[in-house]
C-alpha cells in the first residue's frame, strides 16, 4: 500500500488553514493564520479541519488495480498572546485522526500531532488611525516539535510516512502576513515556508511553501459583525528523502479556490472556510494518480 500513499500536506489551518496536512498548511506541521482583523487582541480557540484524497494505481500485467480513499482530520487548540505591543506569541496544539481505506490496507490512527510555537513581530499597524486606508504587516517564525507519533505500524510494517501523526523531526517555519483595507473592503496576503530536518529514522520530508490572497468585506449588523472572504491558495512541497534516496510519489503542488465567512459577536468569533482544488500536480509515477478533494475548516475563538 506504500505506493498508494503520496505525500499529503495540509492548519491550516492553519494549516494552515490552513494554513497546510501540508501540501500546505494542514497535518504535518504547516501553520495557517488566515484573516485576523483583531490585531490588538489576544485569543484562544479551537479549529477543526479535514482534507480528503483519492489514490489510484492502474493495473499492470503483474498487479490488479488498487485504490485508496484517505481522510486527514484534526482538531487544533491554538492561540495568540501579546508579549509586548509588537511581539505576538502563537501556539498550535493539534489532535489528529486519520483514516485510510484502501484495496489491501485499511487503517486508522489518532492522537497528539506535532506542536508548533511561533513568534511574530508587528512591523506596521495603522488599524487605529482615522484614515480610510489601514494596513498591517507582521512577520516572524517558529519551531515545530516532534510530539506526534511517527513510527506507527500495521501488520508489522511501518505505515506510510504521510499517514503518521507527526514527522519525528524538529522543523522551522517562517511567515509573513499583510492586510490592506480601504473602508470596509480589503485584501489579506499570507506566505510561509517550512524547513524540515531529518528524523531519527534518517527520513527527510521535503520543504514546503504556501501562499494565499483573500479579498474580504467587513459588515456590521446590530451586535454581529460579518467578514465574508474569497480568494486563492497555492501550496508546494519538495520530494522526500529516505537516507540519500529520493522517494517517488512524494511532493507536488496545488492551487485551491477558497471562500468563507467569519462572524463576530461580543468576544467570540465563529469561522468557516471551504477550499476546492482548481489545479493540482502531485509527483506520482506513470501508473499512479492522486487527487485532492475539497477541504473544510471551522473555528471558534475567544478574544480577550
Amino acid at each position: 500500500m506504500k505506493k498508494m500513499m503520496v505525500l499529503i500536506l495540509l492548519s491550516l489551518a492553519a494549516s494552515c488553514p490552513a494554513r497546510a496536512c501540508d501540501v500546505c498548511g494542514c497535518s504535518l506541521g504547516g501553520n495557517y493564520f488566515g484573516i485576523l482583523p483583531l490585531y490588538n487582541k489576544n485569543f484562544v480557540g479551537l479549529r477543526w479541519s479535514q482534507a480528503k484524497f483519492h489514490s489510484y494505481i492502474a493495473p499492470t500485467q503483474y498487479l490488479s488495480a488498487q485504490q485508496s480513499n484517505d481522510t486527514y482530520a484534526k482538531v487544533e487548540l491554538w492561540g495568540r498572546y501579546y508579549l509586548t505591543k509588537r511581539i505576538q506569541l502563537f501556539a498550535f496544539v493539534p489532535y489528529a485522526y486519520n483514516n485510510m481505506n484502501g484495496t489491501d490496507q485499511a487503517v486508522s490512527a489518532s492522537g497528539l500531532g506535532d506542536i508548533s510555537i511561533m513568534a511574530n513581530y508587528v512591523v506596521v499597524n495603522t488599524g487605529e488611525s482615522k484614515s480610510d486606508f489601514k494596513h498591517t504587516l507582521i512577520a516572524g517564525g517558529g519551531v515545530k516539535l516532534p510530539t506526534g507519533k511517527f513510527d506507527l505500524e500495521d501488520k508489522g510494517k511501518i505505515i506510510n510516512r504521510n499517514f503518521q501523526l507527526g514527522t519525528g523531526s524538529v522543523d522551522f517555519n517562517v511567515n509573513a502576513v499583510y492586510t490592506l483595507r480601504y473602508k470596509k473592503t480589503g485584501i489579506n496576503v499570507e506566505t510561509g515556508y517550512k524547513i524540515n530536518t531529518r528524523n531519527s529514522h534518517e527520513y527527510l520530508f521535503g520543504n514546503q511553501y504556501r501562499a494565499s490572497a483573500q479579498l474580504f468585506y467587513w459588515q456590521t449588523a446590530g451586535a454581529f459583525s460579518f467578514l465574508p472572504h474569497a480568494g486563492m491558495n497555492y501550496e508546494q512541497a519538495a520530494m522526500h528523502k529516505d537516507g540519500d534516496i529520493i522517494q517517488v510519489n512524494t511532493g507536488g503542488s496545488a492551487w485551491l479556490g477558497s471562500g468563507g465567512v467569519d462572524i463576530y459577536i461580543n468576544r467570540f468569533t465563529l469561522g468557516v472556510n471551504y477550499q476546492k482544488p482548481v489545479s493540482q500536480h502531485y509527483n506520482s509515477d506513470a501508473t499512479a494518480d492522486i487527487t485532492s478533494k475539497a477541504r473544510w475548516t471551522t473555528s471558534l475563538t475567544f478574544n480577550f
Side-chain angles (χ1 to χ4, degrees):
M1 207 58 199
K2 288 186 177 181
K3 195 173 182 182
M4 291 299 304
M5 295 288 296
V6 180
L7 170 63
I8 296 174
L9 305 167
L10 237 268
S11 166
L12 352 288
S15 64
C16 313
R19 273 184 280 119
C21 100
D22 300 355
V23 130
C24 302
C26 301
S27 70
L28 297 181
N31 299 119
Y32 169 72
F33 293 98
I35 302 173
L36 300 174
L38 300 177
Y39 276 101
N40 61 339
K41 297 288 187 180
N42 304 314
F43 71 79
V44 63
L46 290 172
R47 60 181 177 183
W48 170 87
S49 60
Q50 183 186 80
K52 294 185 176 183
F53 296 81
H54 176 74
S55 303
Y56 176 78
I57 295 180
T60 67
Q61 65 181 102
Y62 303 106
L63 298 172
S64 60
Q66 298 183 56
Q67 62 178 342
S68 179
N69 292 295
D70 310 321
T71 301
Y72 296 80
K74 68 178 177 181
V75 175
E76 185 173 55
L77 174 67
W78 71 310
R80 175 182 67 192
Y81 183 77
Y82 272 88
L83 295 178
T84 70
K85 187 177 180 179
R86 290 189 176 272
I87 299 178
Q88 308 172 342
L89 181 65
F90 284 85
F92 304 83
V93 183
Y95 185 92
Y97 44 105
N98 303 333
N99 181 69
M100 176 172 58
N101 185 13
T103 302
D104 58 7
Q105 186 175 33
V107 63
S108 296
S110 61
L112 179 67
D114 287 345
I115 295 174
S116 295
I117 299 173
M118 303 184 71
N120 284 338
Y121 182 78
V122 181
V123 181
V124 177
N125 182 10
T126 63
E128 297 180 357
S129 72
K130 296 181 179 180
S131 171
D132 288 337
F133 282 98
K134 304 177 189 296
H135 69 137
T136 303
L137 172 64
I138 64 173
V143 60
K144 183 191 70 62
L145 305 173
T147 52
K149 292 183 178 180
F150 66 100
D151 54 2
L152 297 172
E153 296 184 352
D154 179 46
K155 300 176 182 178
K157 296 182 179 180
I158 192 165
I159 304 174
N160 187 280
R161 304 291 183 175
N162 309 321
F163 193 79
Q164 301 290 336
L165 302 175
T167 65
S169 58
V170 176
D171 305 322
F172 302 93
N173 293 287
V174 292
N175 69 274
V177 183
Y178 179 72
T179 304
L180 173 65
R181 190 176 79 177
Y182 175 70
K183 294 184 178 180
K184 296 182 178 182
T185 304
I187 184 171
N188 184 86
V189 179
E190 179 177 344
T191 186
Y193 191 72
K194 182 164 170 280
I195 303 167
N196 298 316
T197 67
R198 293 182 182 274
N199 62 24
S200 59
H201 294 172
E202 289 300 310
Y203 195 90
L204 177 66
F205 287 85
N207 291 345
Q208 300 146 18
Y209 172 76
R210 58 179 172 78
S212 69
Q214 305 289 323
L215 296 173
F216 64 85
Y217 181 77
W218 183 270
Q219 181 64 49
T220 301
F224 293 87
S225 294
F226 300 89
L227 190 77
H229 49 85
M232 292 291 296
N233 299 323
Y234 174 75
E235 50 192 37
Q236 186 271 336
M239 299 183 75
H240 301 182
K241 287 185 178 181
D242 191 352
D244 294 326
I245 301 173
I246 295 176
Q247 300 300 290
V248 298
N249 297 333
T250 62
S253 62
W255 287 91
L256 301 98
S258 66
V261 62
D262 295 330
I263 302 172
Y264 301 83
I265 179 170
N266 298 324
R267 292 187 174 187
F268 292 93
T269 305
L270 175 65
V272 60
N273 180 262
Y274 174 80
Q275 296 183 15
K276 183 176 178 60
V278 295
S279 176
Q280 53 187 301
H281 175 72
Y282 296 99
N283 298 326
S284 55
D285 58 27
T287 62
D289 180 68
I290 183 170
T291 303
S292 175
K293 304 297 185 180
R295 309 176 187 179
W296 284 96
T297 302
T298 59
S299 63
L300 177 65
T301 59
F302 175 74
N303 308 291
F304 61 97

